[in-house]
Amino acid sequence: MWQKHRRECRVSNTEPIWPEVRPGGPRFHCVAALPAGLEQAGAAELLALGACDVRLLRRAVRCRVDLTTYYRLQLQARIPFRLLRELACFPCRNAADLHSGVKAAADWGFWLPPQRSFRVDASGSIPGLSHSHYSALTVKNALIDLQRERWGQRSSVNLETPDLSLHLHLDAGAKTGKPMASLSLDGSGNSLHRRGYRVATGRAPLKENLAAGLIALSGWDGSVPLVDPMCGSGTLLIEAVCGVLKRAPGLLRREKRFAVQNWPDFDPALWEQELQSARRLEAGSLAGGIPLAPVIGSDVDPQAISLAQANAEAAGVAEFMEWRTRDVLELVPPSQPGLVVTNPPYGVRIGERTSLRELYANLSTVLKQRCSGWQLWILSGHPELTEALRLKATRRIPISNGGIDCRWLNYQIR
């Protein structure tokens, strides 16, 4: 479908905005699970928040942090799904290696005494361990065997609210020839993309962290207008405003604890310090007191606009946004050039694509007539539809949206 082209990712030389010496104890390895295509943006974000030794992986970034920085990432990072604290990484050729490696991976008397509950999730595969459920079961059995040998009793498994969430990743070692297992603690609990502000969602909404990453790639900084003419439940625009006004996503999880708060080495004073730091960052304007440029979302569906308004209220940014019930052909942009960002429907059946080609063509016509000097960023899941724009993209960034191979496309409107 799409031409297979992807530029090599390189981590930018972004300087951390936090001092190097912090009272957070020794550093440990952290793996941030990311949407596919946002590895570079995720790496830049982690660097800016104080992580070091950042290395790009497939759908992830590995780095080193101390406890202070790890807490900060949980509260402020916008792009990761999860932030995993690595306990151990060991050679793993089969289930027996996994069983013995898990038992030796950590001080389980500290992390998982029998009175504490746990759950195990798994990803990746090696020959003989290709099913994630079986791999997770092997980890569970190894821990229970160890507990019974040592204490004569075992922990219970709790899939909903465990005291400890473990994550196993298996790497077949295609490049090195050495299969490896990595066992980590999940400090998030629920996926970090669930900010807590979504009162409801429309059809096929973007995940919040994916929306935040797309806005980061667009470079919008709040100084020029931002418009979404097919805004749905408003996720792109809400994430954009929260980002430039430094509204930490972790602060919106009002009634949900982070899994890290159940860890035996949890430091309440350090956590509170990072909570207060995140709250102090919140702003009502850009740097220097400059007002935010107009942010306008419109959609032909009045129910979608109602959802967007409710979500913006819940996120605490409604006062900075304007919502309109309008067709694409009725788009009236601000006079100052800015950015149009949108995630239009991609179409599944042939008939849908025929009608959607007309929608894309109408969008192009309106932009050429009324948005000269603007930029368009559009998330497209089908090249046949973007051909109807009759525009030449200046950037094509591969992105996975819910398993759909997409492109985040940038056009200069003239």
Side-chain angles (χ1 to χ4, degrees):
M1 181 185 295
W2 293 101
Q3 180 184 2
K4 296 299 181 182
H5 172 73
R6 184 185 291 269
R7 296 180 179 176
E8 180 182 358
C9 287
R10 292 184 175 86
V11 178
S12 66
N13 292 323
T14 306
E15 289 295 328
I17 59 176
W18 307 96
E20 267 302 302
V21 179
R22 296 178 297 273
R27 288 193 175 101
F28 50 86
H29 283 111
C30 170
V31 174
L34 302 164
L38 292 178
E39 294 89 350
Q40 179 72 43
E45 178 179 56
L46 298 187
L47 279 168
L49 289 171
C52 63
D53 299 338
V54 174
R55 182 163 64 91
L56 300 182
L57 306 173
R58 183 173 177 268
R59 299 187 178 185
V61 167
R62 192 168 190 256
C63 60
R64 290 174 65 240
V65 298
D66 58 20
L67 205 54
T68 303
T69 307
Y70 188 74
Y71 290 171
R72 183 181 305 129
L73 296 181
Q74 293 287 351
L75 293 167
Q76 296 189 38
R78 301 179 186 280
I79 304 178
F81 283 111
R82 296 185 184 277
L83 294 159
L84 304 173
R85 177 179 178 174
E86 191 173 271
L87 288 177
C89 188
F90 51 89
C92 184
R93 297 164 298 175
N94 48 46
D97 282 354
L98 180 58
H99 190 278
S100 59
V102 166
K103 292 173 74 172
D107 177 1
W108 295 115
F110 177 76
W111 289 108
L112 190 63
Q115 63 269 25
R116 291 172 62 82
S117 64
F118 74 108
R119 67 170 288 165
V120 182
D121 296 291
S123 62
S125 65
I126 62 172
L129 285 171
S130 58
H131 196 288
S132 60
H133 177 73
Y134 177 70
S135 299
L137 185 63
T138 302
V139 174
K140 185 205 80 168
N141 289 340
L143 292 172
I144 289 174
D145 288 347
L146 179 143
Q147 290 180 326
R148 283 175 168 159
E149 293 165 6
R150 188 173 298 179
W151 299 294
Q153 51 184 317
R154 54 157 288 185
S155 291
S156 61
V157 173
N158 184 335
L159 299 181
E160 299 299 324
T161 56
D163 294 313
L164 199 69
S165 294
L166 293 160
H167 184 89
L168 169 75
H169 181 71
L170 296 174
D171 183 351
K175 294 182 179 179
T176 64
K178 298 178 180 179
M180 299 292 291
S182 176
L183 189 64
S184 303
L185 304 177
D186 179 0
S188 311
N190 291 325
S191 174
L192 292 172
H193 85 268
R194 297 189 176 98
R195 313 292 206 222
Y197 64 72
R198 274 185 170 169
V199 177
T201 60
R203 183 180 178 185
L206 279 177
K207 286 185 170 60
E208 295 91 318
N209 61 329
L210 176 55
L214 295 178
I215 294 296
L217 291 173
S218 78
W220 186 71
D221 62 3
S223 64
V224 298
L226 186 69
V227 174
D228 185 347
M230 291 174 276
C231 68
S233 55
T235 307
L236 269 172
L237 298 185
I238 292 171
E239 286 296 322
V241 173
C242 286
V244 296
L245 296 182
K246 303 186 185 306
R247 307 298 173 94
L251 296 181
L252 291 170
R253 292 169 55 130
R254 296 179 180 88
E255 297 181 1
K256 293 184 178 180
R257 286 172 61 86
F258 287 80
V260 69
Q261 292 175 269
N262 295 323
W263 292 357
D265 68 345
F266 176 65
D267 187 330
L270 207 56
W271 180 259
E272 183 62 27
Q273 171 187 303
E274 289 305 312
L275 278 173
Q276 295 303 325
S277 294
R279 293 188 180 111
R280 287 194 295 269
L281 289 173
E282 292 188 354
S285 63
L286 304 179
I290 300 172
L292 192 67
V295 178
I296 302 169
S298 61
D299 200 284
V300 70
D301 182 0
Q303 183 178 4
I305 292 299
S306 295
L307 291 177
Q309 290 173 324
N311 290 338
E313 288 282 355
V317 293
E319 63 182 292
F320 305 100
M321 313 176 78
E322 181 181 345
W323 305 100
R324 303 169 179 172
T325 304
R326 288 184 178 175
D327 185 82
V328 167
L329 290 171
E330 299 172 331
L331 174 65
V332 180
S335 57
Q336 179 192 0
L339 273 67
V340 174
V341 295
T342 195
N343 173 38
Y346 310 147
V348 177
R349 293 179 290 272
I350 293 175
E352 288 181 342
R353 287 188 184 149
T354 300
S355 62
L356 287 176
R357 282 183 65 87
E358 182 179 355
L359 174 66
Y360 280 62
N362 288 341
L363 174 63
S364 177
T365 298
V366 169
L367 293 177
K368 291 174 182 176
Q369 291 175 349
R370 304 174 191 172
C371 295
S372 179
W374 285 62
Q375 288 189 58
L376 167 65
W377 286 90
I378 185 169
L379 186 63
S380 176
H382 201 287
E384 178 185 318
L385 295 175
T386 49
E387 287 174 2
L389 291 171
R390 303 183 303 279
L391 295 169
K392 184 176 180 179
T394 57
R395 292 185 68 189
R396 297 173 177 268
I397 304 173
I399 296 290
S400 176
N401 178 21
I404 302 174
D405 183 26
C406 297
R407 296 295 182 272
W408 185 229
L409 302 169
N410 181 217
Y411 302 89
Q412 306 294 325
I413 310 300
R414 295 181 174 85

